[in-house]
Amino acid sequence: MNQDFYYHNLDWKEVAKLLGTNIDSGLSSEEVKIRQRKIGLNKISKEKPFLRIKIFLDQFRSPLIYILIIAGIITYILKEFTDSLVIFLAVFINAIFGFWEEYKVSKVLEKLKKTIKTKTIVLREGKKQEIFLEELVPGDIIFLKAGDKVPADARLIEARNLKVSEAILTGEWLPSLKTTKILPKDTHLADRENMIYLGCLVESGEGKAVVVATGKNTETGKIATLLKETKEEKTPLQKKLVHFSKIIGVLIGIICIFIFIGGSLREKHILEMFESSVAIAVGGIPEALPIVMTLVLVIGMQRILKKRGLIRKLSSVETLGSTQIICFDKTRTLTQGKMEVAEIFAEDKNLTLKIGILCNECFIENPEEEPEKWRIKGSPTDSALIKGGIKKGFLKPELEKHSIQLDYSPFDSKLKYQLSLRKEGNKIFLYISGAPERILEISNNKDRWGEKLKEMTQKGLRVIGVGYKEMSNLKSQISNANGQILKILDDKISGIHFAGLIGLKDPLRNDVKEAVEVCKKAGMKPILVTGDYKLTAKAVANEIGLKVKDDEILEGRELEKISQKEFEEILEKIKIYARVEPKHKLRIIEAWQKKGKVVAMTGDGVNDTPALKKADIGIALGSGTESAKEVSDLVLLDDSFSAIIKAIEEGRVIIDNLRKAISYILADSFTSVILVGVGTVIFGWPLPVLPVQILWNNFVEDTLPDIAYAFEPKEKDVMKEKPLPLKAPLLNKEMKVLIFGTGLIDEFIILGLFWWLWKYLHLDLDYVRTLIFGSICIDTAFVIYCYKSLKRNIWRINLFSNKWLIFSSISVFFFYAAAIYLPPLQKILHTVPLDFFGWVILVSIGIISMFLIEVTKWYFISRHETEI
């Protein structure tokens, strides 16, 4: 298996011989194992996994950490060993918690990437099998269809209107039309039309090929730039938050300079003022906010995954919560995917079913076993026909012994049918299967079927039409066609004898009615966009709780006839789009987006990719094509409509939790600024709180509460509100008041407490500082519960629903108690033990802070402004 062969310059038969494979039967299982051991799995060497030591060292690459390290070195040089120790301890604690947050994020992201494994169809031991891409070896015979991702480098054996997008490899945006002809040895990579390459996407047609290279030996594997994973870009909200944090950082930085200069001018100890400025900068700048936000987003992605939805892009998590329009299909999304034959209307029911079985893209992986144990691979419609045949005693492998396929054309979304040309004895027949109205257009017996078709669709059945035409007069053309017979026929197909109608039913999923009801209560508009008939779609819509009138249904052909202005006028009343094509989906999305709505659209085929890309949230079915998944934002692992609603619900929960975390973190940012800036610089008082105490509070007391909101469960009415506009401001009115109003009042109360204890009661300064230090710390343990909900007061929520929050609240008391009662920490932090009076004051401050927050919340709740 020498990789130096110019496979494009060899006949495919010679390639198969060189690779030691049989075109008709493929490789044996034993040979596959030997090659896997020798060559390895079909994997490109990925980036090195997240290294723990690297993540830990990255925690020291922050400007604030640099400032702290410099401050620690300066204090050490000046022999202030205790302060130096605290500063370096703060740096280490910050690194530990930062490491934990980032490591958890990295592990979740790794898990998400491994969730979907690409499969491919291969010929082994004479049978078609569906295997994971990584199991391929050189010499395997593979099959490709529209929407597939090419699983390895391969030499084509058959190409039926096969077009492959090779932009990932060549940069050429136009798809390459493939052939099986031998090409000159010096043919450039981009022009090797008889080859297909790993990672490229099949846009149309079908193909069969022999694998010539896998993993790192593929053309893609040889290009170093393609070995790297695409770096996840920051989401719009993350960018907004980082920018906001920088503004606050600059503001606090300026204030710190003012504090240092002002304190020095008041003849305060320069080192003390320097340490205070550094501590205030570290405590005030919300550097943890972007990390906490990423953690909230990633934990949200993990929750969505548990509900069978895979988010492919971090930015999509934000958009999900703002979804206003959901355009979805019926098949597999609303139904159980257990399609079966319910009714056949035909002159000859046996012939009709036989055509449906033979003009069919499904294959059976294990035909040697009993039919009841067959593993049938293919579309639900084609699978249902084969299973229907089993019940009637028509077995596909047996039928194929007497009906030899000469050529076939896969289902075409534009033509809406598939073709199979077959030889049966001395006769040749063209079988056709697909949309009844399309086949009737080219049939010679179309009169008797209309009423029955209408009747079957009114029952909610999916109806397939089948027909045939004897083609024995084309024997001379067929013998010289080299397997490209249907290409010769081109668009000359007419005179079909319509054989009959096959009605298929697929039961609704049990949870779909409830999901649709939740969708409507959540202020979203569900729209059924389907390729089914108008009457079928209406029957299904009524069954799931969408009460639809006839004038609220628009068919694809009617959509094509009306102008854009006319469409926009009726847009908001249409609940069902029937008999639509992919191009119609695009127009529907654009019309809603023009009205400023956030649109989610489902799709599964290669022709759905433009619509999925255009939608604000492209939703691919897990059973769909690789190309659909490639451009989607959300992949439904079990194809269920309810999974969409659950994902949107989680999107809303994530936005809620982000706002809680932002409000809590920013409300606490200005505490040390007020205490030192106003108390010491303006009024000339001693430092109300020491630098080491500020650092302890920032790194020990605040870290766990900061991250606890990432694990906050949903609020019970999250799906009873209207979607939050995508362009809603980062901080709403309530958040601004809580941060810049209530938060500042709370901080001035603590400043007033210092004055009362030190100036008025003349208590010991160390005791007073211990109380102020405690006020900042213990205050956290109380107010953290207030931010559990910005939409209802604390007495109306479950305080114990988040174990992380409870643990962080208890840890605040534990760490503060350690700081004031353990002698080593007393010495380091300059604290003294508190008496009962001291604890009463601390608890009182916590209650006052809660009262201020709850009053603010009550005001906004009473005015119904919490969502603005």
Side-chain angles (χ1 to χ4, degrees), residues 249-522:
V250 170
L251 177 63
I252 290 179
I254 293 170
I255 292 173
C256 288
I257 294 171
F258 163 76
I259 287 172
F260 176 70
I261 295 172
S264 300
L265 291 175
R266 280 190 171 271
E267 298 183 351
K268 300 291 182 182
H269 195 283
I270 292 179
L271 179 60
E272 191 177 63
M273 294 314 300
F274 170 72
E275 289 178 350
S276 295
S277 300
V278 170
I280 290 168
V282 173
I285 296 173
E287 194 195 32
L289 202 51
I291 299 173
V292 171
M293 181 179 179
T294 302
L295 185 63
V296 171
L297 291 171
V298 172
I299 294 298
M301 290 172 74
Q302 194 175 30
R303 284 175 173 174
I304 291 170
L305 182 62
K306 288 179 181 177
K307 295 179 179 179
R308 308 300 294 156
L310 174 68
I311 294 288
R312 296 188 66 256
K313 303 167 188 172
L314 203 59
S315 57
S316 306
V317 180
E318 297 169 20
T319 314
L320 265 174
S322 301
T323 302
Q324 295 164 298
I325 308 294
I326 305 179
C327 301
F328 57 95
D329 200 349
K330 172 181 76 71
T331 307
R332 290 183 285 191
T333 310
L334 301 181
T335 56
Q336 296 178 19
K338 298 177 181 177
M339 198 171 282
E340 57 185 36
V341 175
E343 183 179 349
I344 298 177
F345 179 76
E347 298 169 346
D348 184 338
K349 292 185 179 181
N350 289 342
L351 174 61
T352 297
L353 187 55
K354 173 189 169 183
I355 296 171
I357 295 168
L358 291 172
C359 189
N360 191 305
E361 294 184 71
C362 276
F363 68 90
I364 302 161
E365 278 192 341
N366 54 336
E368 72 284 353
E369 295 191 31
E370 293 297 315
E372 293 77 18
K373 297 180 181 179
W374 280 355
R375 293 190 299 272
I376 302 168
K377 301 294 181 178
S379 71
T381 302
D382 283 351
S383 297
L385 293 173
I386 292 179
K387 290 173 184 175
I390 293 172
K391 291 180 181 179
K392 296 292 184 181
F394 291 100
L395 306 181
K396 189 176 183 183
E398 292 298 320
L399 291 175
E400 288 177 334
K401 289 179 182 178
H402 307 287
S403 181
I404 311 301
Q405 184 165 267
L406 303 173
D407 195 10
Y408 71 99
S409 178
F411 184 83
D412 187 296
S413 61
K414 292 181 180 177
L415 297 174
K416 294 188 177 179
Y417 58 68
Q418 57 189 337
L419 302 168
S420 179
L421 193 68
R422 294 186 166 271
K423 183 179 180 183
E424 299 179 0
N426 293 321
K427 294 183 178 180
I428 294 173
F429 292 96
L430 176 67
Y431 290 152
I432 185 170
S433 171
E437 78 279 12
R438 184 68 187 91
I439 298 174
L440 284 169
E441 289 176 6
I442 53 176
S443 298
N444 52 20
N445 60 329
K446 58 185 76 174
D447 297 333
R448 57 171 294 202
W449 307 99
E451 283 302 314
K452 186 62 181 179
L453 177 60
K454 183 178 179 180
E455 179 191 321
M456 292 172 77
T457 55
Q458 282 178 324
K459 295 178 184 177
L461 298 177
R462 182 169 195 172
V463 186
I464 305 298
V466 299
Y468 67 92
K469 181 179 182 180
E470 188 175 347
M471 308 289 284
S472 301
N473 59 326
L474 293 177
K475 281 184 180 180
S476 58
Q477 293 183 53
I478 290 170
S479 60
N480 298 315
N482 296 321
Q484 302 291 312
I485 310 161
L486 295 176
K487 225 176 207 182
I488 295 172
L489 294 176
D490 199 17
D491 59 353
K492 299 173 185 174
I493 296 172
S494 60
I496 296 293
H497 184 83
F498 196 87
L501 300 168
I502 303 174
L504 305 171
K505 68 176 181 180
D506 191 359
L508 286 176
R509 293 177 183 267
N510 296 327
D511 57 355
V512 77
K513 286 184 182 178
E514 182 185 351
V516 169
E517 189 60 32
V518 170
C519 176
K520 290 190 287 186
K521 286 181 179 178

Side-chain angles (χ1 to χ4, degrees), residues 675-744:
L675 290 174
V676 178
V678 177
T680 302
V681 176
I682 294 178
F683 294 145
W685 301 341
L687 286 173
V689 61
L690 297 174
V692 289
Q693 295 170 347
I694 295 172
L695 291 174
W696 178 273
N697 175 68
N698 185 59
F699 291 122
V700 178
E701 305 285 0
D702 274 358
T703 303
L704 284 176
D706 284 353
I707 65 176
Y709 291 109
F711 303 94
E712 186 67 23
K714 70 176 182 180
E715 296 189 46
K716 61 182 180 181
D717 59 354
V718 71
M719 291 299 280
K720 292 180 181 178
E721 302 164 359
K722 291 181 180 180
L724 190 70
L726 195 57
K727 294 183 179 179
L730 178 62
L731 305 180
N732 61 23
K733 290 180 182 178
E734 182 184 15
M735 291 170 70
K736 289 173 183 175
V737 173
L738 285 171
I739 294 165
F740 302 110
T742 308
L744 289 175

Side-chain angles (χ1 to χ4, degrees), residues 550-768:
D550 287 340
D551 64 347
E552 294 172 332
I553 306 173
L554 191 67
E555 289 190 308
R557 60 186 178 184
E558 296 171 332
L559 180 57
E560 288 183 354
K561 292 176 183 177
I562 61 176
S563 67
Q564 187 61 25
K565 185 179 178 182
E566 290 172 319
F567 181 40
E568 288 173 6
E569 288 173 356
I570 63 170
L571 179 67
E572 298 201 18
K573 79 170 186 176
I574 302 299
K575 296 180 180 178
I576 294 176
Y577 293 89
R579 303 310 273 172
V580 297
E581 296 175 15
K583 61 181 180 182
H584 299 141
K585 288 185 176 183
L586 204 58
R587 191 175 177 190
I588 295 165
I589 293 169
E590 288 172 344
W592 277 112
Q593 287 178 334
K594 193 173 179 181
K595 287 183 175 285
K597 302 296 183 182
V598 177
V599 185
M601 172 69 80
T602 66
D604 60 356
V606 65
N607 291 317
D608 289 325
T609 53
L612 292 174
K613 287 179 74 174
K614 180 65 179 173
D616 299 287
I617 291 290
I619 304 172
L621 305 187
S623 59
T625 61
E626 288 302 317
S627 57
K629 295 173 192 173
E630 195 85 5
V631 300
S632 68
D633 301 288
L634 171 66
V635 179
L636 303 179
L637 300 181
D638 60 3
D639 297 346
S640 171
F641 177 79
S642 62
I644 302 175
I645 305 303
K646 289 173 183 175
I648 290 171
E649 180 182 59
E650 282 301 333
R652 293 189 177 190
V653 172
I654 288 163
I655 296 298
D656 271 1
N657 289 349
L658 282 175
R659 287 191 152 182
K660 293 169 189 176
I662 291 168
S663 299
Y664 168 75
I665 293 171
L666 294 184
D668 196 36
S669 292
F670 297 97
T671 304
S672 52
V673 173
I674 299 296
L675 290 174
V676 178
V678 177
T680 302
V681 176
I682 294 178
F683 294 145
W685 301 341
L687 286 173
V689 61
L690 297 174
V692 289
Q693 295 170 347
I694 295 172
L695 291 174
W696 178 273
N697 175 68
N698 185 59
F699 291 122
V700 178
E701 305 285 0
D702 274 358
T703 303
L704 284 176
D706 284 353
I707 65 176
Y709 291 109
F711 303 94
E712 186 67 23
K714 70 176 182 180
E715 296 189 46
K716 61 182 180 181
D717 59 354
V718 71
M719 291 299 280
K720 292 180 181 178
E721 302 164 359
K722 291 181 180 180
L724 190 70
L726 195 57
K727 294 183 179 179
L730 178 62
L731 305 180
N732 61 23
K733 290 180 182 178
E734 182 184 15
M735 291 170 70
K736 289 173 183 175
V737 173
L738 285 171
I739 294 165
F740 302 110
T742 308
L744 289 175
I745 292 171
D746 187 42
E747 285 145 15
F748 275 104
I749 287 174
I750 295 174
L751 181 65
L753 175 66
F754 176 81
W755 174 84
W756 181 64
L757 294 171
W758 173 72
K759 194 81 173 176
Y760 187 78
L761 296 181
H762 304 291
L763 296 180
D764 177 70
L765 185 58
D766 282 342
Y767 180 83
V768 174

Side-chain angles (χ1 to χ4, degrees), residues 60-75:
F60 299 93
R61 296 175 61 186
S62 158
L64 283 181
I65 296 300
Y66 297 156
I67 293 171
L68 273 176
I69 291 172
I70 292 169
I73 293 170
I74 292 173
T75 52

